[in-house]
Amino acid sequence: MILYELISYDVLRLIWWVLLGVLLIGFALTDGFDLGVGALLPFVGRTDEERRIAINTVGPVWEGNQVWLVLGGGAIFAAWPPLYAVSFSGFYLAMFLVLAALILRPVGFKYRNKRPDAAWRSRWDWALFVGGAVPALVFGVAVGNALQGVPFELTGHLVPLYEGNAILKLLGLLNPFALLAGVVSAAMLVTHGAAWLAFKAEGIVARRAMAIGSVSGPVAMLAFALAGVWLAFGIPAYSYAGNIDPSGPSNPLLAEIVRGGSWLNAYTVRPWIAVAPLMGFAGIGLATLGLRKGLGGFSLLASKLGIFGVISTVGLTMFPFILPSSKQPGASLTVWNASSSHQTLFIMLICTLIFLPIVLAYTAWVYKVLWGKVGSDEISSNPNAY
């Protein structure tokens, strides 16, 4: 009870904003290379054995890595209910595409080896490609739309309205800036997957991954730079027009929020956040250099740094906004007006402090047990290999 009183409502809101970012970054750092390997599969493996090598670099860990996405969705549901309601309604068909693509991954892993027929296995290999490439692209598209604002509104009873059928909503999400953000995401995760294969695979599979990653890395950097310029000068920002009450009730309609100006203003108010995009460029650039030099472990660490920087750039630039509304700016969801209650956030924090270290410890143990490269000898001698 004493601890509950010591941690104020505004501090808890800020903690959960950080934790949500940690969960999303954790997903990108871990399952991101799984998605990248899937997107690379038809290109790094030209024979069945080569594709099996690529698959078995991620086969033992992809399920655990995907847990971070589940935790992120759960955190949104429990800590930011309005965000969950609006995003899962407006992005419904896009999320369905992601889930359908992610479902193809375990099915592809399990079914491709059920028959020795080359055509059968090739079809499942392309299914694994879809399971990697589609989520990598759609996640970026979703972020691009969040930066622009989503056309939803709130009634006087705080009921979110997002008009249009599912097809029109999806087509609305596929706008030029969002597609550019999707290119950033896809190229970044392909580079991450290439770094993983360079680190984990042996032989020609690793060399082909290095060659592809040496190209996708600069593409990610260029797209990231173009998106930054577009965001700064072509997309109006959102801001509070009056006083902010970080401990106020979770009612977006109580504060005045306006649209106008540039997102670059965030860097004037908080100059230190410029470290995030610098980390993004430096990490992806060093990963590209490492891939060209054949340094798999270095490239993997550098790509993780780049992903951390890119995702942090989005969160820090938008803060305190989480999901702005382009149709009704005053209904925009922020860190200060869209959270669960003080008590709910506190109970969730205690649970997180107990269970998150367990998840991290188990994940570290799994990677330690599965340490080592995957090559022809490994897949031929291991009866559990895909």
Side-chain angles (χ1 to χ4, degrees):
M1 189 65 182
I2 296 176
L3 183 61
Y4 174 77
E5 294 175 350
L6 287 176
I7 305 180
S8 61
Y9 196 11
D10 58 325
V11 171
L12 276 173
R13 283 171 160 169
L14 186 59
I15 289 174
W16 272 103
W17 175 78
V18 173
L19 284 175
L20 179 59
V22 168
L23 294 173
L24 296 178
I25 292 172
F27 170 71
L29 295 182
T30 55
D31 204 44
F33 63 71
D34 298 335
L35 300 178
V37 170
L40 287 168
L41 183 60
F43 311 105
V44 298
R46 297 176 185 173
T47 66
D48 182 65
E49 182 180 88
E50 291 170 358
R51 292 185 179 185
R52 287 188 67 199
I53 290 173
I55 289 171
N56 280 280
T57 64
V58 299
V61 297
W62 72 268
E63 289 179 287
N65 293 340
Q66 196 166 277
V67 167
W68 291 96
L69 179 62
V70 178
L71 292 175
I76 293 175
F77 173 77
W80 313 99
L83 173 62
Y84 182 90
V86 173
S87 60
F88 276 66
S89 173
F91 298 173
Y92 178 79
L93 194 53
M95 290 184 177
F96 178 82
L97 288 176
V98 169
L99 291 177
L102 290 177
I103 289 171
L104 284 175
R105 182 163 56 177
V107 176
F109 285 150
K110 299 296 184 182
Y111 274 74
R112 78 175 301 277
N113 287 338
K114 296 297 183 182
R115 293 173 57 186
D117 180 63
W120 168 269
R121 293 189 173 186
S122 177
R123 286 192 290 269
W124 284 115
D125 289 337
W126 282 104
L128 290 172
F129 165 79
V130 172
V134 170
L137 178 68
V138 174
F139 286 139
V141 169
V143 171
N145 279 281
L147 285 164
Q148 296 176 93
V150 179
F152 71 92
E153 56 185 329
L154 295 177
T155 69
H157 297 289
L158 301 183
V159 176
L161 299 177
Y162 198 126
E163 297 180 357
N165 60 46
I167 298 296
L168 291 177
K169 290 177 182 178
L170 178 62
L171 294 176
L173 296 177
L174 300 177
N175 56 76
F177 178 79
L179 289 173
L180 178 60
V183 171
V184 176
S185 174
M188 179 176 67
L189 294 185
V190 165
T191 305
H192 197 40
W196 174 257
L197 288 174
F199 171 69
K200 192 71 174 176
E202 292 181 344
I204 188 64
V205 173
R207 292 193 292 273
R208 288 180 185 142
M210 292 175 192
I212 297 173
S214 298
V215 176
S216 62
V219 170
M221 294 174 66
L222 177 61
F224 185 44
L226 290 175
V229 173
W230 194 339
L231 183 68
F233 301 105
I235 297 177
Y238 293 80
S239 60
Y240 275 90
N243 295 327
I244 303 174
D245 184 6
S247 297
S250 290
N251 185 342
L253 300 180
L254 294 180
E256 184 180 358
I257 296 174
V258 296
R259 189 181 190 191
S262 170
W263 284 111
L264 282 183
N265 293 337
Y267 294 84
T268 302
V269 178
R270 305 184 298 276
W272 60 270
I273 68 175
V275 69
L278 292 177
M279 288 171 57
F281 284 114
I284 298 174
L286 290 173
T288 303
L289 180 62
L291 288 169
R292 291 178 177 175
K293 297 292 184 180
L295 304 175
F298 174 82
S299 299
L300 184 60
L301 291 175
S303 67
K304 289 180 181 291
L305 176 67
I307 290 172
F308 182 89
V310 170
I311 298 178
S312 297
T313 297
V314 176
L316 292 171
T317 301
M318 291 183 65
F319 183 85
F321 290 89
I322 304 175
L323 190 64
S325 170
S326 59
K327 188 172 184 179
Q328 184 186 2
S332 298
L333 308 180
T334 75
V335 174
W336 313 126
N337 69 17
S339 74
S340 294
S341 67
H342 188 176
Q343 185 176 26
T344 299
L345 295 182
F346 177 78
I347 294 173
M348 288 173 54
L349 178 61
I350 298 301
C351 294
T352 302
L353 293 176
I354 295 172
F355 291 106
L356 185 59
I358 298 175
V359 173
L360 292 172
Y362 176 76
T363 301
W365 177 78
V366 168
Y367 276 89
K368 181 179 183 299
V369 170
L370 299 172
W371 193 261
K373 288 185 175 290
V374 177
S376 300
D377 294 340
E378 167 69 16
I379 62 173
S380 62
S381 61
N382 185 358
N384 298 314
Y386 289 110

